[in-house]
Amino acid sequence: MPNLLALSIFPAFLIASRANAVAEPVLVLIHNYANVDPNVLKRAEKSAAGVLSTAAVQVRWLDCPESAQAAHECQNSPDPSVLVLDLLPAGVTRRAAPHGSLGFAVPPEPGQFGSFAGVFCDRVERLSSHGYSEPVILGHAIAHEIGHLLLGPGGHSETGLMKPEWHRKELEQAVNGTLNFDAVERARIMQNLKARVLAHTSQLR
């Protein structure tokens, strides 16, 4: 989780390789408790999807609830192929989240996969007030937290998207489209996604 000029996150799902991308995308259920403007949210989702695609992760976003179908899907408990992301308003904090962090990812139970993450939208807005695009920063914060979910424990790095603290360099990289996963993270995400696919398949039997 990154601090105000910093950030942290957990990653995403179903893929084999850039040459052999898995057809089925990761499903991310979004609860917009912060009432983020729908246009900003759509642009943020597009930004996050672009970042996640650098790890060959395809994403399907489902804003909950936006329709009868969405309401039904959003009531189901997450399985290994589903992630849940809460967009949180000012005043909402999480005890384990470092002060000033932009978001958090909930550690899974032993032997399970991480499924729940959140972003503090008022902190994203505060960063945006310094001249950075809100959809871009929100999108990268989302990608960072989804990145944590897909990478598993120990997902932080010394540089790049998964750096625990973002400063001007990282924010400018986000705006320029160069704040992404590195090669080691991409390989780890792909490995973990395969494990999620196998777990999901076994549940369906």
Side-chain angles (χ1 to χ4, degrees), residues 1-2 8-11 83-86 88 94 96-98 101-108 114-120 141-153 155-156 162 196:
M1 310 173 194
S8 74
I9 312 180
F10 273 95
L83 301 181
V84 177
L85 178 73
D86 291 346
L88 302 171
R94 183 173 174 79
S101 64
L102 293 182
F104 63 89
V106 179
S115 297
F116 297 92
V119 172
F120 302 118
I142 290 172
H144 177 101
E145 299 307 337
I146 290 178
H148 274 307
L149 295 177
L150 297 180
L151 285 168
H156 280 138
M162 298 311 297
R196 284 180 181 261

Side-chain angles (χ1 to χ4, degrees), residues 65-148:
E66 195 172 76
S67 64
Q69 177 188 359
H72 174 72
E73 289 193 62
C74 292
Q75 287 175 359
N76 295 329
S77 298
D79 60 41
S81 66
V82 179
L83 301 181
V84 177
L85 178 73
D86 291 346
L87 300 180
L88 302 171
V92 177
T93 59
R94 183 173 174 79
R95 185 179 304 171
H99 177 72
S101 64
L102 293 182
F104 63 89
V106 179
E109 295 294 326
Q112 302 297 314
F113 297 102
S115 297
F116 297 92
V119 172
F120 302 118
C121 293
D122 60 317
R123 300 175 185 178
V124 171
E125 290 178 6
R126 210 174 308 159
L127 272 186
S128 302
S129 69
H130 293 285
Y132 299 102
S133 165
E134 182 179 353
V136 169
I137 301 304
L138 177 58
H140 281 71
I142 290 172
H144 177 101
E145 299 307 337
I146 290 178
H148 274 307

Side-chain angles (χ1 to χ4, degrees), residues 169-189:
K169 175 183 177 181
E170 287 75 33
L171 295 171
E172 290 180 350
Q173 287 177 328
V175 172
N176 294 331
T178 57
L179 189 66
N180 299 310
F181 297 102
D182 63 26
V184 173
E185 291 162 348
R186 290 195 294 269
R188 185 170 159 189
I189 288 172

Side-chain angles (χ1 to χ4, degrees), residues 54-74:
T54 68
V57 176
Q58 300 179 56
V59 188
R60 180 166 74 91
W61 310 102
L62 186 60
D63 298 330
C64 302
E66 195 172 76
S67 64
Q69 177 188 359
H72 174 72
E73 289 193 62
C74 292

Side-chain angles (χ1 to χ4, degrees), residues 7 144 156-167 170:
L7 194 75
H144 177 101
H156 280 138
S157 64
E158 294 184 2
T159 61
L161 179 72
M162 298 311 297
K163 185 178 177 181
E165 294 189 353
W166 289 357
H167 299 283
E170 287 75 33

